[in-house]
Amino acid sequence: MRVNKKYSCLPAEEKGIHIINIRAIEDIGYDQHESTILNSLSKNPDADCKYGLYFRDGKRKVDYILVYHYKKSSAGKTLARRAQQNDSSVRSTKQDQPLPGKGVHLEMGESEPHMDYHEDDKRFRREEYEGNLVEAGLELERDEDTKIHGIGFVKIHAPWNVLCREAEFLKLKMPTKKMYQINQTHGLLKKINSVIQKITEPIQPKVAEHKPQTVKRLSYPFSREKQHLFDLSDKDSFFDSKTRSTIVYEILKRTTCTKAKYSMGITSLLANGVYSAAYPLHDGDYEGENVEPNDRKLLCEEWASYGVFYKYQPIDLVRKYFGEKIGLYFAWLGVYTQMLIPASVVGIIVFLYGCATVDENIPSMEMCDQRNNITMCPLCDRTCSYWKMSSACATARASHLFDNPATVFFSVFMALWAATFMEHWKRKQMRLNYRWDLTGFEEEEDHPRAEYEAKVLEKSLRKEHKHKETDKEKLTWKDRFPAYLTNFVGIIFMVGLTFAIVFGVIIYRISTAAALAISSTPSGRSSVRVTVTATAVIINLVVIIILDEVYGCIARWLTQIEVPKTDKNFEERLIFKAFLLKFVNAYTPIFYVAFFKGRFVGRPGDYVYIFHSFRMEECAPGGCLMELCIQLSIIMLGKQLIQNNLFEIGIPKMKKFIRYLKLKRRRSLDHEEHMKKKQRYEVDYNLEPFAGLTPEYMEMIIQFGFVTLFVASFPLAPLFALLNNIIEIRLDAKKFVTELRRPVAVRAKDIGIWYNILRGIGKLAVIINAFVISFTSDFIPRLVYLYMYSENGTMHGFVNHTLSSFNVSDFQAGTAPNDPLDLGYEVQICRYKDYREPPWSENKYDISKDFWAVLAARLAFVIVFQNLVMFMSDFVDWIIPDIPKDISQQIHKEKVLMVEVFMREEQGKLHMLETWKDKDKRKGENCNNHSPRLSRSHSGSLSSCHSYPLEV
């Protein structure tokens, strides 16, 4: 077999390597090249390959890794030793191997029982698939002599001609030789920018990619015909590791294995267990004494460290290492966190305003004044007695911290903040698209998923069995109808389950309040409301965290049975289902407290009962806003602390520890393997696989809902979100750099469907805050009292105005308090919070005119607030351009410069053509100077003389 000249300097007999050359397909415009598969049998890894980052020759870089399981036996080791000792046996083995590893298994089969059918089938598929990869131009090297028992690795390298071919197919924009000056600000703006740069210099990351650029290379989609436009002085670094792995992954997805009667790409092979993993390598180690400088180490120091929490993120370096899609996520997270700073400052000011004015709040002062001697009706039947309103003084004072006129302003501010945030992100996104050469990038349709191909095969086989002639099949809505029906029923059931759990917590609150009211101790009776509220919220939190994980798995299962065609369709459908279920799960308890609690209570003597025994719970005298604030704060903080932080830290650590124990058990089986140094691909194999960005986005979107939807009840929500995100950025960064395998870089120009979800939440927040202010808080009743009923234009008498009277003789039989003298005197009239006619009226206990006046004011406020804030948000959206002016100018400048480059190239070609014509003319004149006989006898020579320039 002919040996490739490029590697002929490495004798196979000396290195213990089997070299097999398979001729690759001929590329357009290129000579045919030969690729090699190196089947390594050497036990000691060569230091020149930098422990797995390069092939054995130390020259070709490993761009991708395929991992597979195999049955390792003593015969395999014996064969390896025999191959190293006997040159002739090596040659014979090489000749018998049409694909890597095949000869080893055949020789093993002679001395050992034949392996099971499934193992043989997987091996044959691997051989065919790897042979097809070689035909596609890739170079492979197998390594089964690893430290991990029973695991084999296939290292993949893409040579230069393959990189060029695929870069042209993918239309990758690459930097050309042409450089141009970026437009700089002048005058006052230049001075302001220089001052800002000096001030922010300590918080800038110390990476070269983060420094402000003054010049930029002109980028153009790579073309093999126009290679002279690009700077190819250093071909090794022209395509960085991120781009190389992307190109190899595209080839892996496109290359198929036709065994088992249908084509199988890498996704199908992974799904069927032919390969157990496929991933690109990290650039190297990120910690240690003698670690060579690399991007991963730099990211760990300047980004994935809690010590640099105050610094900006090196987004350009993140994009360079992980790709545009992950870079956009962290850029969005950084913009969101920055925008939370002004929201947090305003929220703190609103909270401090409530603290400063709590002693001047007349309604809470009236409630705390024991001289008013307001006796309230019992909170439950029989066991509860009458109580003084002054006993709820603390709750009333605390409610003012969040229920004051400043919260209305804060709601309007947060609605405008959400609109400004979305516009700011769009502008930031355009800047990143320009910097990352994504302008004009359009996503193409992705390759079909493995499950889709399997479903189509199943359908085609059924039709082939019936009709024997089938066209190319695809799944229709009829094929997916059972899955759609299952999705609909499943989602309805999950939503119903959430409502049922919330209803169960309501029953718990009511029953617990009644049980604690029987307590003989006064302290127990006085803390009933606080105890019930706190315990119920904790139960809600635990249920929400558990159901979040359950709903995530159910959403993925429901999406899988739909069998979406591409990964993009799968991701969008999964996001929609997961967001719907998690949104309902997280916000249903909050919606109940905000809009339903205390609305369907009834009145003394005619209460509404659940199961004919439990009275519906009422709001506190100061309103439900304080309880809404408690509910929101505990759920938000609990989810962030437990689910987002502890789970993200604890679960990966636990998985890593379990993998460590398994590997330790395997190492104890083979002492020789334990003594070897780990290769890079072995270390990365032990890391956690990348599961996508959906969980990362989801937790931030749910948090965005907490910050915007009910911000009128909890002005400190932006502050807690800011503190969480400062930790979250570094936590996610550390996870990506140190805990996860390196993901395949994916090009993307935006954050996709998440932007639409954010816009929807922003619009919904305006409506919800309008209803919270008008129906949950006492803001509207206070305004109505102040301008319609107040005698002296103050809030004096407001508490008495909101309370109705009830004659205790009108209690239903068996519902009156067992101890009517608990307060020390006999009660004739008790008060309850509602707008109803007094018992001495002709229409006693009917809804009064005051109720309708307040209801009309509430509805009017909702309409005015919603339309005003929506108009202001749309105005902000309209007044801020999506594309910054300087970026649009730079994009236009790039187009003009590119036209100039091509015009110069065209002029050069015309000049060269004219030169050739002049030469042709001079040669023609020389030919005419010969004799006519010579001209006639040499007509063929003359013809060839004229045609020569055209052939050139």
Side-chain angles (χ1 to χ4, degrees):
M1 186 174 288
R2 189 160 48 90
V3 179
N4 196 329
K5 294 179 181 179
K6 184 175 181 181
Y7 306 112
S8 59
C9 60
L10 295 172
E13 292 80 359
E14 295 180 8
K15 297 293 183 180
I17 297 172
H18 292 198
I19 301 178
I20 302 167
N21 296 285
I22 300 178
R23 194 166 185 80
I25 61 173
E26 182 178 358
D27 298 327
I28 300 173
Y30 289 93
D31 294 332
Q32 291 184 350
H33 292 279
E34 292 182 348
S35 302
T36 59
I37 294 179
L38 304 179
N39 189 16
S40 171
L41 296 176
S42 176
K43 291 187 177 181
N44 297 319
D46 195 348
D48 291 338
C49 70
K50 295 186 179 179
Y51 295 104
L53 287 174
Y54 288 82
F55 275 22
R56 292 286 182 184
D57 56 15
K59 297 176 181 178
R60 293 171 296 166
K61 190 173 184 180
V62 177
D63 299 318
Y64 219 87
I65 291 292
L66 298 178
V67 187
Y68 60 93
H69 290 273
Y70 71 96
K71 290 187 176 181
K72 192 169 185 179
S73 63
S74 59
K77 296 179 183 177
T78 305
L79 178 65
R81 288 193 294 269
R82 192 185 306 158
Q84 289 178 341
Q85 293 170 1
N86 192 345
D87 291 344
S88 61
S89 64
V90 170
R91 294 191 186 94
S92 64
T93 307
K94 286 197 300 179
Q95 292 173 356
D96 293 340
Q97 277 187 311
L99 279 175
K102 189 171 181 180
V104 173
H105 290 291
L106 288 175
E107 193 161 330
M108 285 169 57
E110 295 175 0
S111 58
E112 289 194 350
H114 197 275
M115 289 194 300
D116 61 279
Y117 169 77
H118 295 291
E119 288 296 324
D120 281 342
D121 183 59
K122 289 179 182 179
R123 178 166 56 85
F124 291 145
R125 291 188 189 183
R126 284 198 298 269
E127 290 172 358
E128 184 195 1
Y129 183 71
E130 290 165 13
N132 293 339
L133 290 180
V134 170
E135 290 183 1
L138 298 178
E139 297 176 358
L140 311 182
E141 181 179 86
R142 186 188 298 277
D143 185 5
E144 291 184 353
D145 192 21
T146 62
K147 198 171 183 180
I148 305 176
H149 184 79
I151 300 293
F153 297 89
V154 177
K155 295 174 276 187
I156 303 177
H157 168 77
W160 171 254
N161 64 314
V162 174
L163 294 173
C164 294
R165 182 191 70 205
E166 297 298 324
E168 184 173 350
F169 291 167
L170 296 174
K171 300 176 183 178
L172 295 179
K173 274 191 172 183
M174 303 302 294
T176 63
K177 297 176 183 177
K178 177 69 176 176
M179 300 182 71
Y180 66 95
Q181 195 79 18
I182 298 177
N183 294 337
Q184 300 293 323
T185 55
H186 301 283
L188 182 61
L189 285 176
K190 185 176 182 180
K191 293 180 180 178
I192 294 174
N193 287 339
S194 62
V195 171
I196 292 175
Q197 286 179 6
K198 289 180 181 178
I199 294 174
T200 59
E201 187 175 357
I203 60 175
Q204 300 290 346
K206 297 177 182 178
V207 296
E209 286 79 2
H210 199 76
K211 294 179 181 178
Q213 295 179 338
T214 56
V215 294
K216 187 178 184 291
R217 285 189 179 272
L218 194 63
S219 295
Y220 184 73
F222 188 82
S223 172
R224 290 175 288 181
E225 295 178 355
K226 301 185 183 300
Q227 287 194 33
H228 57 277
L229 295 177
F230 303 94
D231 183 11
L232 302 179
S233 57
D234 186 5
K235 291 185 178 181
D236 291 337
S237 62
F238 183 74
F239 295 106
D240 57 15
S241 60
K242 177 249 311 178
T243 308
R244 297 176 69 99
S245 63
T246 302
I247 288 174
V248 173
Y249 184 63
E250 286 297 324
I251 298 175
L252 291 177
K253 287 196 296 184
R254 193 177 65 232
T255 305
T256 57
C257 167
T258 56
K259 294 206 174 187
K261 203 172 181 179
Y262 73 103
S263 61
M264 297 179 68
I266 186 62
T267 52
S268 302
L269 294 172
L270 288 169
N272 287 277
V274 178
Y275 291 103
S276 57
Y279 52 88
L281 292 180
H282 280 291
D283 278 359
D285 292 325
Y286 59 89
E287 58 183 0
E289 297 179 357
N290 301 320
V291 176
E292 294 184 3
N294 58 71
D295 288 341
R296 188 187 187 194
K297 185 174 185 295
L298 189 59
L299 282 172
C300 187
E301 294 171 351
E302 295 294 329
W303 182 51
S305 173
Y306 295 109
V308 294
F309 72 92
Y310 59 91
K311 288 188 177 183
Y312 285 102
Q313 299 183 85
I315 292 298
D316 291 323
L317 185 60
V318 174
R319 172 253 178 180
K320 178 186 174 185
Y321 193 79
F322 291 110
E324 286 79 7
K325 191 171 185 178
I326 294 176
L328 281 173
Y329 163 70
F330 282 103
W332 173 83
L333 184 55
V335 170
Y336 172 46
T337 304
Q338 287 177 6
M339 289 294 293
L340 283 173
I341 295 175
S344 303
V345 172
V346 177
I348 292 171
I349 293 173
V350 169
F351 178 74
L352 293 177
Y353 171 81
C355 295
T357 58
V358 66
D359 293 328
E360 302 172 3
N361 183 38
I362 296 175
S364 60
M365 291 171 63
E366 288 184 348
M367 290 181 65
C368 294
D369 191 356
Q370 297 184 359
R371 294 172 296 178
N372 289 333
N373 198 26
I374 299 177
T375 304
M376 303 297 293
C377 295
L379 297 175
C380 61
D381 294 342
R382 296 187 300 275
T383 56
C384 299
S385 185
Y386 305 105
W387 56 284
K388 292 285 188 180
M389 175 170 273
S390 57
S391 63
C393 174
T395 305
R397 288 173 64 85
S399 296
H400 178 73
L401 301 178
F402 306 99
D403 187 5
N404 56 69
T407 56
V408 180
F409 158 76
F410 191 57
S411 299
V412 176
F413 171 82
M414 288 302 294
L416 298 179
W417 173 87
T420 307
F421 162 60
M422 299 305 295
E423 290 304 309
H424 179 46
W425 167 243
K426 280 196 290 188
R427 290 169 64 84
K428 177 71 173 179
Q429 194 169 252
M430 282 305 303
R431 289 188 181 277
L432 294 176
N433 285 342
Y434 165 71
R435 266 187 7 222
W436 297 348
D437 298 321
L438 292 172
T439 52
F441 167 72
E442 295 294 336
E443 293 186 13
E444 299 179 356
E445 187 176 356
D446 201 357
H447 297 275
R449 299 175 62 250
E451 292 81 358
Y452 181 85
E453 290 180 339
K455 204 76 174 178
V456 169
L457 171 69
E458 183 182 342
K459 182 179 178 181
S460 62
L461 289 177
R462 284 200 305 266
K463 284 197 172 184
E464 185 180 348
H465 180 69
K466 293 180 180 179
H467 307 290
K468 294 186 179 180
E469 290 185 4
T470 57
D471 297 329
K472 188 174 182 181
E473 293 293 338
K474 63 179 182 179
L475 298 184
T476 62
W477 69 270
K478 292 181 180 178
D479 300 318
R480 291 192 173 104
F481 180 75
Y484 290 154
L485 184 62
T486 306
N487 270 259
F488 178 76
V489 174
I491 290 174
I492 294 298
F493 175 76
M494 292 300 115
V495 172
L497 176 64
T498 303
F499 289 161
I501 291 174
V502 172
F503 182 74
V505 175
I506 294 171
I507 299 296
Y508 162 80
R509 293 160 69 113
I510 296 171
S511 58
T512 306
L516 291 176
I518 307 175
S519 174
S520 57
T521 60
S523 60
R525 290 196 297 268
S526 62
S527 60
V528 167
R529 193 179 296 275
V530 176
T531 305
V532 170
T533 301
T535 55
V537 172
I538 292 173
I539 293 173
N540 273 328
L541 174 63
V542 173
V543 170
I544 286 172
I545 291 175
I546 294 174
L547 287 184
D548 252 5
E549 303 301 321
V550 174
Y551 286 169
C553 298
I554 291 176
R556 180 169 291 275
W557 176 74
L558 291 175
T559 309
Q560 285 173 347
I561 64 174
E562 281 187 45
V563 197
K565 185 175 181 180
T566 63
D567 287 330
K568 184 179 179 182
N569 292 340
F570 180 88
E571 186 180 19
E572 288 180 349
R573 296 186 186 192
L574 173 62
I575 288 170
F576 174 75
K577 295 180 184 65
F579 174 74
L580 178 63
L581 293 175
K582 293 189 177 187
F583 182 90
V584 172
N585 181 42
Y587 296 116
T588 299
I590 301 172
F591 269 93
Y592 164 72
V593 174
F595 302 122
F596 296 99
K597 184 178 179 180
R599 310 291 172 192
F600 312 102
V601 177
R603 60 170 180 82
D606 188 21
Y607 284 113
V608 177
Y609 290 90
I610 301 175
F611 304 132
H612 304 287
S613 56
F614 296 111
R615 259 173 54 182
M616 290 293 291
E617 54 183 346
E618 305 176 35
C619 289
C624 280
L625 198 70
M626 185 61 199
E627 188 172 342
L628 176 62
C629 173
I630 295 172
Q631 184 103 3
L632 184 67
S633 60
I634 292 180
I635 291 178
M636 178 182 176
L637 295 178
K639 272 181 66 66
Q640 290 183 350
L641 182 64
I642 299 173
Q643 194 173 24
N644 297 358
N645 292 332
L646 291 183
F647 279 14
E648 285 193 15
I649 296 173
I651 292 178
K653 294 287 185 186
M654 185 175 64
K655 289 182 178 178
K656 191 175 181 180
F657 181 70
I658 292 172
R659 285 196 300 270
Y660 169 76
L661 292 179
K662 289 182 179 178
L663 290 175
K664 191 175 180 181
R665 194 181 306 118
R666 285 175 179 175
R667 289 171 192 166
S668 62
L669 298 175
D670 198 331
H671 181 70
E672 293 181 6
E673 292 181 351
H674 179 67
M675 297 304 293
K676 294 188 298 185
K677 181 176 175 62
K678 274 192 175 183
Q679 304 287 330
R680 175 79 264 154
Y681 43 86
E682 295 178 79
V683 176
D684 287 1
Y685 177 72
N686 294 328
L687 298 177
E688 189 74 13
F690 175 64
L693 289 171
T694 300
E696 315 298 335
Y697 272 114
M698 188 66 70
E699 64 185 61
M700 289 295 106
I701 297 297
I702 296 295
Q703 185 203 83
F704 183 77
F706 282 122
V707 169
T708 54
L709 292 180
F710 297 94
V711 74
S713 63
F714 189 40
L716 296 179
L719 174 64
F720 290 115
L722 173 64
L723 297 176
N724 173 80
N725 287 6
I726 291 173
I727 301 172
E728 180 74 19
I729 289 175
R730 307 303 164 180
L731 184 65
D732 284 348
K734 198 171 187 65
K735 181 172 68 175
F736 272 83
V737 174
T738 65
E739 300 289 340
L740 298 180
R741 292 176 191 162
R742 188 174 184 177
V744 179
V746 179
R747 287 189 297 170
K749 62 188 302 184
D750 52 41
I751 59 175
I753 194 175
W754 297 110
Y755 181 81
N756 298 328
I757 293 176
L758 286 168
R759 284 189 67 87
I761 291 177
K763 299 294 183 184
L764 183 63
V766 176
I767 302 171
I768 290 179
N769 281 303
F771 277 95
V772 168
I773 293 170
S774 60
F775 284 92
T776 309
S777 75
D778 284 338
F779 178 73
I780 299 301
R782 288 172 187 166
L783 285 182
V784 171
Y785 177 79
L786 186 64
Y787 292 106
M788 291 182 62
Y789 300 104
S790 177
E791 297 177 356
N792 52 8
T794 64
M795 292 301 295
H796 288 287
F798 169 73
V799 174
N800 187 60
H801 175 75
T802 59
L803 298 177
S804 299
S805 301
F806 178 75
N807 194 333
V808 298
S809 60
D810 294 330
F811 272 121
Q812 291 182 353
T815 61
N818 295 333
D819 187 9
L821 300 177
D822 184 59
L823 295 177
Y825 56 87
E826 186 178 358
V827 177
Q828 299 294 331
I829 300 293
C830 67
R831 310 295 297 274
Y832 61 98
K833 190 172 184 179
D834 205 348
Y835 291 101
R836 292 183 180 270
E837 297 291 343
W840 51 84
S841 173
E842 295 181 1
N843 302 317
K844 64 177 184 178
Y845 308 134
D846 286 349
I847 295 174
S848 65
K849 296 179 180 179
D850 298 341
F851 171 83
W852 299 111
V854 171
L855 180 62
R858 282 174 164 166
L859 294 175
F861 176 82
V862 169
I863 295 171
V864 172
F865 181 89
Q866 175 184 334
N867 287 279
L868 178 63
V869 175
M870 287 284 192
F871 170 77
M872 295 171 70
S873 300
D874 292 340
F875 179 74
V876 169
D877 191 356
W878 172 76
I879 202 173
I880 301 176
D882 294 346
I883 305 177
K885 187 177 179 181
D886 59 326
I887 296 299
S888 60
Q889 290 175 350
Q890 296 296 122
I891 294 174
H892 178 70
K893 186 176 180 179
E894 278 196 352
K895 292 180 180 178
V896 172
L897 289 173
M898 188 55 66
V899 170
E900 289 180 1
V901 169
F902 285 120
M903 288 299 294
R904 289 175 187 171
E905 185 181 0
E906 192 69 24
Q907 290 172 2
K909 289 180 180 179
L910 291 174
H911 179 70
M912 187 179 296
L913 186 60
E914 289 175 359
T915 305
W916 285 350
K917 285 182 178 179
D918 291 342
K919 290 181 179 180
D920 183 26
K921 189 176 181 182
R922 286 195 296 268
K923 289 180 180 179
E925 291 175 355
N926 293 333
C927 291
N928 290 333
N929 290 335
H930 295 289
S931 62
R933 186 181 303 172
L934 186 63
S935 300
R936 285 193 297 270
S937 63
H938 293 82
S939 59
S941 301
L942 185 63
S943 174
S944 63
C945 178
H946 284 288
S947 64
Y948 175 73
L950 296 178
E951 291 174 358
V952 172

